[in-house]
Amino acid sequence: MIEIKHLKTLYALSQHGSLAAAATHLHQTQSALSHQFSDLEHRLGFKLFIRKSQPLRFTPQGEVLLQLAQQILPLVRDAVRVCNEPGVSTLRIAIECHSCIQWLTPALQQFREKWPQVSVDFKSGVTFDPQPELLSRELDIVMTSDIQADPAFHYTPLFDYEVKLIVANDHPLAKKPIIDPHALADETLLIYPVQRDRFDVWRHFLQPAGVSPNVKTVDNTLILIQMVAAKMGIAALPHWAVDSFERQGLLTTKTLGSGLWSRLYAACREGEQRQPTIDAFTKTAANHAVENLSYVKPVKVSNAYAPTETQQLGMSQW
């Protein structure tokens, strides 16, 4: 029956001496605060203070509840502080792509500067599906662009990025002004060793056009890029992941159709997205990426994300 907000209101009233001053302190109107007291007094069956008294005086019952507020509110503040500043914790993170390391490592360093008491454990690779491990509590965060329609997961958007076709500088596709799906029909597409329908280039570019090129799997990003440069195949990777290689003149990037965009998320268990370490790491990673990566865009959506049908993109060709 007595809520924390009532105790806060009683304490503010005792500190500021009038309903008007207490309302200003609590960022409420005097009318709303008066209504709150009237409702509480009605439910309790007794008055809490003498209205229009100068200075304001509490009733004996009001004095009892004021003493309760003085005892309880410091305990609540201390508990909230402890929850927001855990002494020691471990954050277990999985990443589904090797190229994430390029920007995630400096983002992690920035996070550790603010949260030195938190140890971080990484699990990476493209040959396993880490999201089920969130449910078994073996992981806390999964960096992914693969949305699963499961209410047990919460996906916090980090940033949007364009998936670009990468080819050797002297590849015939390098001279094409527009890359349509049929231009890739006779090519060898280099992908990581996971199901092809998890790749955006397959699900949202090739498959709708009925195009099915030859596929070769490669489990290492650097080797994949070297194979592309040697004209052993083509690939589709995030533009930011190949930007440095393009600037060195090692390969050429081309826009797929009118542009193939995807979104990276930090997945965690539903209800834990506001845990201090998870929330802090997610915000640090998103801010660092947007500020330091080329060819990415910040996400302008609510943090409480529920993907629509058109937004449920698969894991892009990392």
Side-chain angles (χ1 to χ4, degrees):
M1 185 176 291
I2 299 292
E3 302 176 20
I4 294 296
K5 69 176 181 180
H6 298 137
L7 298 180
K8 288 182 177 179
T9 302
L10 280 170
Y11 185 76
L13 191 61
S14 71
Q15 292 295 299
H16 297 278
S18 70
L19 273 175
T24 299
H25 174 75
L26 295 171
H27 305 290
Q28 297 184 36
T29 65
Q30 182 175 345
S31 175
L33 203 61
S34 178
H35 179 75
Q36 181 188 131
F37 271 119
S38 296
D39 179 66
L40 179 60
E41 289 174 334
H42 176 74
R43 286 191 285 138
L44 291 174
F46 50 76
K47 296 292 184 180
L48 295 173
F49 63 95
I50 308 300
R51 284 167 170 75
K52 298 183 180 180
S53 58
Q54 292 292 335
L56 185 143
R57 290 186 294 114
F58 284 90
T59 65
Q61 295 92 335
E63 289 285 355
V64 171
L65 293 184
L66 176 60
Q67 291 179 17
L68 178 65
Q70 293 168 339
Q71 295 171 1
I72 294 297
L73 292 179
L75 295 177
V76 172
R77 285 193 294 268
D78 289 344
V80 171
R81 177 182 56 78
V82 170
C83 289
N84 282 301
E85 299 178 1
V88 178
S89 62
T90 299
L91 197 60
R92 297 160 300 177
I93 303 172
I95 52 179
E96 291 186 333
C97 63
H98 295 293
S99 52
C100 282
I101 293 294
Q102 295 176 237
W103 66 268
L104 196 54
T105 300
L108 174 61
Q109 182 177 358
Q110 188 177 29
F111 169 78
R112 291 294 303 278
E113 289 175 357
K114 295 182 179 179
W115 294 74
Q117 72 275 42
V118 178
S119 61
V120 178
D121 184 28
F122 274 110
K123 183 176 182 181
S124 65
V126 296
T127 58
F128 77 107
D129 184 6
Q131 295 192 54
E133 295 189 26
L134 284 174
L135 297 182
S136 63
R137 310 194 75 85
E138 296 177 45
L139 293 172
D140 301 304
I141 298 176
V142 174
M143 314 291 283
T144 182
S145 60
D146 191 5
I147 293 288
Q148 294 187 14
D150 189 329
F153 296 133
H154 178 93
Y155 295 89
T156 300
L158 298 178
F159 58 84
D160 291 336
Y161 60 92
E162 186 177 7
V163 179
K164 299 292 287 280
L165 181 72
I166 63 170
V167 298
N169 292 327
D170 57 348
H171 193 287
L173 291 175
K175 298 180 180 180
K176 276 187 168 288
I178 298 176
I179 304 296
D180 61 63
H182 295 282
L184 308 185
D186 298 324
E187 300 292 335
T188 296
L189 181 66
L190 305 178
I191 65 173
Y192 293 117
V194 298
Q195 300 93 331
R196 63 184 64 183
D197 61 0
R198 291 182 64 190
F199 295 94
D200 289 343
V201 68
W202 193 274
R203 293 177 58 189
H204 303 286
F205 188 69
L206 296 172
Q207 195 172 49
V211 175
S212 182
N214 181 47
V215 169
K216 184 178 180 62
T217 60
V218 184
D219 61 4
N220 181 282
T221 302
L222 185 57
I223 292 176
L224 184 149
I225 289 174
Q226 291 173 338
M227 291 176 67
V228 169
K231 298 177 68 173
M232 298 172 65
I234 62 173
L237 294 172
H239 201 169
W240 55 264
V242 297
D243 176 47
S244 62
F245 300 102
E246 185 178 29
R247 285 189 281 106
Q248 294 176 59
L250 301 178
L251 49 81
T252 297
T253 65
K254 304 292 292 185
T255 298
L256 290 162
S258 58
L260 179 61
W261 284 82
S262 190
R263 179 169 292 174
L264 187 68
Y265 302 88
C268 67
R269 289 176 289 276
E270 177 60 48
E272 295 188 10
Q273 59 270 22
R274 293 299 185 187
Q275 288 290 328
T277 51
I278 291 177
D279 183 56
F281 180 83
T282 300
K283 289 178 179 177
T284 298
N287 292 337
H288 181 84
V290 170
E291 292 172 1
N292 293 277
L293 293 182
S294 303
Y295 311 110
V296 303
K297 296 179 180 179
V299 179
K300 298 180 180 179
V301 298
S302 170
N303 202 38
Y305 181 72
T308 65
E309 178 68 23
T310 58
Q311 290 171 319
Q312 290 183 5
L313 302 181
M315 173 181 172
S316 66
Q317 171 67 20
W318 292 83

